[in-house]
Amino acid sequence: MVRFVENMNKWCMRLLRLVYLNLLWTVATILGLGFIGVGPATVAMLSILRQWIRGNEEVAIFSTFVRYFRESFKEAAIIGAIYSLVGYVLYVDIVNVSSWYVRVVTLIGAFLYLISLAYIFPLLAHYDWKGIKLKIRMSVVIGFSYLQYTLVLFVAIVALFTLILGLYPGILTFAGASIIGYLVMWMTHQVFSKIEREVLVKEEDMA
């Protein structure tokens, strides 16, 4: 009984932390006028989620969020604005285009966009690589190289979103971004860890 209460308390604390993190993400995104703030806010949120996934659940949320937001602001703001603009253009094209050929090309572009979008912000949170072009290119390369993980991630996001929408839509307002962010960061972290293990094995074989 005591163990059950402790586990319930632990899960309640995790849910409260997700709600708090979602609030910080929302405020930072709004203060950044949406398309400017969404990039740094997302990187800051994913960086904290990454630490939780790696076992460091006691990290100070507010100060850590502000630090990651400031450190990543310039690059993440540019990337966030680029992906917001490209996403908007793709959406308008898909809705309005009448030619089936152009629609097919646009849908292929949208699929590439979603693959890159799934990895670009986790890449910023996980790796200290230099250069926006490199990170965008690697988000596509990794997304395609580990396509099975990417597709599972897409299915999981849709399933989770549908489940929450059916059971209690209000959760999406209070913790939607952080819950989906946790799922994205967890899956991409599995991919990054797998890549690092494969690189380590190759280095040991060459030694």
Side-chain angles (χ1 to χ4, degrees), residues 164-178:
I164 294 175
L165 203 60
L167 293 178
Y168 190 69
I171 291 179
L172 292 175
T173 303
F174 297 108
S178 56

Side-chain angles (χ1 to χ4, degrees), residues 15-31 41 45 61-62 65 171-179:
L15 181 59
L16 286 176
R17 283 199 292 264
L18 285 172
V19 171
Y20 182 39
L21 189 56
N22 194 85
L23 176 65
L24 292 176
W25 179 85
T26 303
V27 171
T29 300
I30 292 173
L31 291 177
M45 179 181 70
I61 297 177
F62 182 77
F65 185 93
I171 291 179
L172 292 175
T173 303
F174 297 108
S178 56
I179 290 175

Side-chain angles (χ1 to χ4, degrees), residues 71-83:
E71 289 177 356
S72 68
F73 184 82
K74 184 178 178 181
E75 188 175 54
I78 293 172
I79 290 176
I82 291 172
Y83 278 76

Side-chain angles (χ1 to χ4, degrees), residues 26-94:
T26 303
V27 171
T29 300
I30 292 173
L31 291 177
L33 303 177
F35 72 99
I36 296 176
V38 68
T42 302
V43 172
M45 179 181 70
L46 293 178
S47 298
I48 292 176
L49 293 172
R50 174 177 173 270
Q51 294 211 30
W52 292 355
I53 290 166
R54 294 167 75 96
N56 184 15
E57 295 191 10
E58 303 304 321
V59 60
I61 297 177
F62 182 77
S63 58
T64 306
F65 185 93
V66 171
R67 178 166 61 85
Y68 282 126
F69 185 89
R70 287 177 174 171
E71 289 177 356
S72 68
F73 184 82
K74 184 178 178 181
E75 188 175 54
I78 293 172
I79 290 176
I82 291 172
Y83 278 76
S84 296
L85 179 62
V86 172
Y88 175 75
V89 171
L90 286 169
Y91 171 76
V92 171
D93 284 351
I94 290 172

Side-chain angles (χ1 to χ4, degrees), residues 149-199:
Y149 288 86
T150 308
L151 295 178
V152 169
L153 175 60
F154 288 165
V155 171
I157 290 173
V158 172
L160 180 62
F161 187 82
T162 305
L163 181 66
I164 294 175
L165 203 60
L167 293 178
Y168 190 69
I171 291 179
L172 292 175
T173 303
F174 297 108
S178 56
I179 290 175
I180 298 296
Y182 190 95
L183 180 60
V184 171
M185 194 68 236
W186 184 86
M187 182 62 81
T188 53
H189 190 267
Q190 306 309 308
V191 174
F192 299 154
S193 298
K194 182 176 177 62
I195 293 172
E196 289 160 8
R197 288 195 299 272
E198 290 173 352
V199 170

